């Protein structure tokens, strides 16, 4: 069941426009929270449809070196879960409609308290939660805590997930399905998994909500390719790579905006080139 009105409205708009959505992953507090407060609206102006906002964690087992470095910088700056929730509240002043989905590991949620976390995340204006180290079979306490709030629980599928696994994730989650496009940890790749399109086509008759693909997407061409058969793409490591090449803060935001703008342009051109537009259904 879709719970977040912002996510539902976003996917409805994307369907009407006939294109896939663009959802950057941003590590909150990298290099500090003041920078992230400026970065999010800049990326929205550049073409981002929504955000996956990462809560920095000391043992990010699903993340590769790039996002590990971003988490380390954020933690070094003192960023904690309560600060990320405050950031979401601040961001809502400039981003009243863009979906913001928190990505966090389960340990910080347990330390914060599941009910407290769900209440404060919803109060801040978050739309959903991704917890990579929490499978749906063990997600009962958090799902119960989130039940009374407009928060979607987003679970992940990977290339190794079979039909039964896909059915469990589809039944337990809401909002969208996060499909891991490459085996292993996060990180930009020069090529996509050759079986990605086929895997998503097999998932189509099972799912009842949009599928966003993350892990590995690097270039506008890759984003356009994936956007042809998924409802959206999530790009994190390549975005951080672009910012790491610049020294100054203004230059980092400018580089990030250029990169997101290039992906958005590719997604729009790809959708326009397809007969009748993308015309995808979720």
């Amino acid at each position: 069941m879709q719970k977040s009105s912002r996510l539902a409205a976003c996917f409805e708009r994307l369907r009407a426009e006939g294109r896939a959505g663009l959802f950057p992953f941003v590590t909150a507090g990298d290099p500090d929270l003041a920078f992230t407060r400026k970065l999010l609206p800049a990326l929205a102006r550049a073409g981002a449809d929504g955000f996956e906002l990462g809560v920095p964690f000391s043992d990010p087992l699903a993340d590769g070196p790039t996002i590990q470095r971003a988490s380390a910088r954020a933690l070094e700056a003192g960023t904690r879960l309560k600060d990320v929730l405050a950031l979401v509240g601040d961001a809502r002043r400039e981003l009243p409609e863009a979906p913001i989905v928190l990505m966090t590991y389960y340990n910080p949620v347990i330390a914060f308290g599941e009910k407290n976390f769900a209440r404060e995340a919803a109060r801040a204006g978050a739309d959903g939660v991704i917890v990579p180290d929490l499978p749906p079979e063990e997600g009962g306490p958090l799902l119960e805590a989130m039940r009374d709030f407009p928060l979607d629980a987003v679970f992940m599928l990977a290339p190794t997930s079979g039909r039964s696994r896909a059915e469990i994730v589809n039944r337990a989650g809401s909002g969208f399905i996060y499909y891991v496009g490459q085996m292993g940890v996060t990180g930009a790749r020069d090529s996509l998994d050759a079986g990605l399109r086929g895997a998503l086509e097999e998932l189509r008759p099972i799912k009842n909500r949009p599928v966003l693909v993350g892990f590995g997407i690097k270039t506008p061409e890759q984003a356009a390719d994936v956007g042809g058969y998924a409802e959206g793409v999530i790009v994190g490591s390549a975005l951080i790579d672009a910012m790491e090449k610049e020294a100054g803060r203004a230059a980092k935001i400018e580089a990030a905006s250029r990169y997101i703008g290039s992906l958005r342009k590719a997604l729009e051109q790809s959708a326009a080139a397809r007969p009748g537009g993308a015309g995808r259904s979720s």
Side-chain angles (χ1 to χ4, degrees):
M1 177 185 295
Q2 188 96 33
K3 295 173 69 176
S4 161
S5 59
R6 273 185 288 262
L7 273 172
C10 179
F11 288 123
E12 183 177 350
R13 175 175 57 79
L14 290 170
R15 280 193 292 271
E17 295 178 5
R19 66 174 176 87
L22 176 57
F23 297 82
F25 170 91
V26 172
T27 300
D30 172 28
D32 55 43
L33 289 161
F35 180 84
T36 310
R37 287 190 186 97
K38 294 182 179 178
L39 179 62
L40 294 179
L43 297 185
R45 291 192 293 273
D49 293 293
F51 297 94
E52 182 188 0
L53 188 62
V55 177
F57 185 54
S58 58
D59 188 21
L61 57 88
D63 293 310
T66 300
I67 295 179
Q68 288 179 22
R69 289 195 300 273
S71 286
R73 288 190 292 263
L75 291 171
E76 179 67 22
T79 305
R80 300 296 183 266
L81 177 54
K82 63 179 177 55
D83 305 310
V84 179
L85 297 178
L87 169 67
V88 173
D90 289 344
R92 277 284 165 240
R93 300 191 189 103
E94 293 187 71
L95 301 168
E97 298 178 355
I100 299 176
V101 178
L102 297 171
M103 196 290 280
T104 180
Y105 293 90
Y106 199 30
N107 191 301
V109 175
I110 293 173
F112 205 80
E114 286 101 336
K115 193 72 174 182
N116 192 35
F117 169 75
R119 181 177 58 252
E120 295 305 314
R123 180 180 296 171
D127 298 287
V129 180
I130 303 168
V131 186
D133 57 349
L134 182 66
E137 294 90 339
E138 300 175 16
L142 181 58
L143 291 173
E144 176 63 24
M146 292 170 58
R147 188 179 62 179
D148 296 331
F149 300 100
L151 290 169
D152 282 303
V154 178
F155 289 108
M156 301 173 116
L157 288 173
T160 51
S161 302
R163 183 182 179 94
S164 61
R165 186 71 190 165
E167 290 174 343
I168 290 171
V169 164
N170 188 59
R171 194 164 52 245
S174 58
F176 62 88
I177 293 171
Y178 190 130
Y179 193 88
V180 175
Q182 300 273 356
M183 291 303 295
V185 296
T186 59
R189 306 290 202 279
D190 291 329
S191 61
L192 297 174
D193 189 312
L196 177 59
R197 182 170 192 152
L200 294 186
E201 288 176 350
E202 291 180 5
L203 180 59
R204 189 168 294 279
I206 301 172
K207 71 186 182 70
N208 60 9
R209 68 185 67 101
V211 174
L212 306 187
V213 176
F215 283 46
I217 296 172
K218 177 181 179 181
T219 68
E221 293 76 16
Q222 290 171 340
D225 181 20
V226 174
Y229 46 88
E231 282 78 16
V233 297
I234 297 172
V235 182
S237 294
L239 173 61
I240 296 170
D241 287 340
M243 290 191 285
E244 284 185 335
K245 293 176 182 175
E246 305 294 336
R249 295 185 172 222
K252 288 180 184 293
I253 290 179
E254 184 178 342
S257 298
R258 277 199 308 272
Y259 175 66
I260 290 301
S262 71
L263 298 185
R264 173 64 179 264
K265 182 179 180 181
L267 287 169
E268 290 180 344
Q269 290 177 337
S270 175
R274 289 191 289 274
R280 59 182 59 79
S281 59
S282 58

